[in-house]
Amino acid sequence: MFAGLPELGISNGEDLKETLTNCTEPLKAIDQFQMENGILLPTLQSALPFLDLHGTPRLEFHQSVFDELREKLMERVALIAEGKEEDRYGKLEELLEKSFPLVKMPSIQPVVMQVLKHLPKVPEKKLKMVMADKELYKVCAVEVKRQIWQDNQALFGDEVSPLLKQYIVEKEAALFSSDLSILHNFFSPSPKARRQGEVVLKLTQMIGKNVKLYDMVLQFLRTLFLRTRNVHYCTLRAELLMSLHDLDISEICSVDPCHKFTWCLDACIREKFVDGKRARELQGFLDGVKKGQEQVLGDLSMILCDPFACNTLVLSIIKNLQELLSQDALPRDSPDLMLLLRMLSLGQGAWDMIDSQVFKEPRQDQEVVTRFLPSMMSVVVDDHTFIVEQKLPSEEKSSLSYPTTLPDAFNRYLQENRVACEMGLYYVLHIAKLRNKNALQRLLPTLVETYNDMAFGDIFLHLLTGHLTLLSEEFGSEEFCSVVFDGFLLTSFSSKENVHRHTLRMLLHLHHKVLPSYMETLMKTLEPPKQCSEPVKELYTQLMEKLEAQKKSPPPAEETPSLDLGLHPVTVPTTPSTPTTPL
């Protein structure tokens, strides 16, 4: 406990023991020891007996003086470090040399740690001693750990790894959240609110202003993204940079070539829309990638692969198409639309680019613009025609029934093209937001076969189940249930456990709206097999309990308000010439 004192010429317990062992008059020896090792202040000696009269132990007195002096010393260390003196760090190094032998002494350790914390460059020998001792490493300040980490990537990786795992767990938990709503979903939190998350704040603190550590974290994120294809690592890459931007860490922001692009895109994500001015700014960054610096495209593609960026881009594309429809214009004639597609394509190709290390923007398939988008717009025209037809007097109505098939180009591109598929999925969400049952019944079955099974991904299913709450009343129809469940969700739930989970999540909210006979069949179909995970079993049990409770207390004659009460579609402002059924 008192190791290190003899090195500084200060007596410790062992010295007292030796003195008492070899002396003839113990009381005199104790007085002598106290005189030599007490507080060397002549005026104090005559005052100490007063403390004895008051029954205050000498230990208590010395301890209080010691604590006071330690606090003063620590304050002084901070003041020296913050000062302007040229030799301030020399003074601190001198103090470190004197105090370091006592680093294992609990009462002195805070002083040593304070000195280490305020030294911008701790002597390497001391750093190695701290790193080699687990207890010292654990208690030293993050400023000292940064100096250790920057030359020990493996040790830094061990510190960062649990945080990265925690981040992914949190994102996946949000996608499987028990809340089911169009207003409060995965994409609801603002970018600034997301950056207040525990993991982002901890990583930001660990990195500080250290460019080397920042680069290491980015390398970990690229490696994990490559290994797992998990797009949430792309979100963290952008959030980390913007968190450092919020703190005005220019040492890092000024050297990250993606900073201004990410900053501009962050503003778009906040608005959930890319306006014309920002679109031109973003285009300027992409066009400004110089020859020999193409590697920056790898990082830009990762930032565009962030689901929050992708969500913003596709919502902007949908709004753009609405405006084109109202102006009778073609997709290929809109520079803004072409740029949005370019960025969406770059983001969707992030994994391939980083994997192949070929840093070139993916070539855009022009047929997405000339064939796929027009076929998607033709679905809107069909819908519009049918609605107008319904409003005509009966003698003017034709025998047209609502179309049930989709253009071949639409189906083909959903299956073969990643960018087209992303737009197609968001178009389905857009239709659900408008509570357009007919169009939804026409579109959902085609999602059984999509590029890389994107329609069965967690992000789309999370959004779709939330959007379907807007059509809760339709679940009383066998035809609608058949399309949603038999025609789409149940086609893959047995092979994809996440689909099973999302289906149960939705039913927990909408079971009282589903046709009872159909619900009974669904419960038999959705019964979890023995080998399935706990979350699925828990959801199924909760659903069973709700159904049992419902049987015991049937709803009153007057129906309770439906779950979607007040959840109206969030529409964008339209011009007077916009068709009544927007895209």
Side-chain angles (χ1 to χ4, degrees), residues 101-323:
L102 306 177
V103 72
K104 301 281 272 184
M105 195 169 157
S107 52
I108 299 287
Q109 194 177 78
V111 177
V112 185
M113 290 303 163
Q114 178 82 331
V115 177
L116 287 169
K117 175 185 171 178
H118 284 94
L119 275 175
K121 190 155 178 32
V122 175
E124 200 172 327
K125 187 182 171 188
K126 303 282 189 288
L127 271 185
K128 282 182 177 172
M129 287 166 79
V130 171
M131 189 174 83
D133 189 308
K134 279 184 183 175
E135 284 180 18
L136 288 182
Y137 173 77
K138 194 176 174 182
V139 295
C140 73
V142 71
E143 289 85 351
V144 182
K145 284 178 179 170
R146 283 185 205 128
Q147 296 185 46
I148 294 171
W149 292 332
Q150 67 177 9
D151 297 316
N152 293 274
Q153 188 169 351
L155 183 61
F156 186 51
D158 291 343
E159 293 274 356
V160 168
S161 183
L163 290 173
L164 302 185
K165 281 179 188 160
Q166 181 186 335
Y167 184 83
I168 298 301
V169 167
E170 286 170 3
K171 287 290 178 201
E172 287 173 353
L175 288 171
F176 287 106
S177 157
S178 57
D179 292 333
L180 205 66
S181 159
I182 190 169
L183 291 181
H184 303 288
N185 61 35
F186 183 74
F187 293 113
S188 297
S190 70
K192 199 133 194 174
R194 286 188 281 118
R195 296 198 284 274
Q196 301 313 306
E198 183 189 0
V199 172
V200 176
L201 290 176
K202 273 190 179 173
L203 285 173
T204 306
Q205 190 203 18
M206 286 167 83
I207 291 165
K209 298 178 180 181
N210 195 308
V211 177
K212 201 170 175 185
L213 294 181
Y214 177 66
D215 282 340
M216 277 189 213
V217 174
L218 295 194
Q219 194 51 52
F220 294 151
L221 293 174
R222 285 185 209 106
T223 305
L224 288 163
F225 176 52
L226 267 185
R227 195 181 298 162
T228 64
R229 289 183 183 261
N230 194 321
V231 289
H232 300 312
Y233 290 116
C234 301
T235 307
L236 184 52
R237 196 272 180 245
E239 284 179 356
L240 193 55
L241 173 54
M242 285 310 297
S243 176
L244 292 161
H245 165 92
D246 291 342
L247 294 169
D248 205 16
I249 310 286
S250 57
E251 292 86 344
I252 290 174
C253 294
S254 62
V255 296
D256 188 330
C258 302
H259 172 231
K260 285 183 179 171
F261 181 89
T262 311
W263 185 9
C264 183
L265 187 62
D266 186 74
C268 299
I269 293 170
R270 189 178 63 237
E271 306 295 332
K272 290 190 168 61
F273 180 64
V274 183
D275 61 39
K277 180 176 176 285
R278 289 198 180 113
R280 284 185 288 280
E281 270 187 67
L282 293 166
Q283 183 171 10
F285 295 128
L286 290 178
D287 293 342
V289 175
K290 296 184 179 73
K291 202 169 182 183
Q293 295 178 348
E294 292 91 349
Q295 201 162 343
V296 74
L297 283 172
D299 272 333
L300 288 176
S301 70
M302 245 185 112
I303 282 157
L304 287 166
C305 186
D306 163 19
F308 288 85
C310 183
N311 178 61
T312 302
L313 291 174
V314 191
L315 288 176
S316 303
I317 288 170
I318 299 284
K319 184 174 178 184
N320 225 286
L321 289 171
Q322 275 180 272
E323 286 170 5

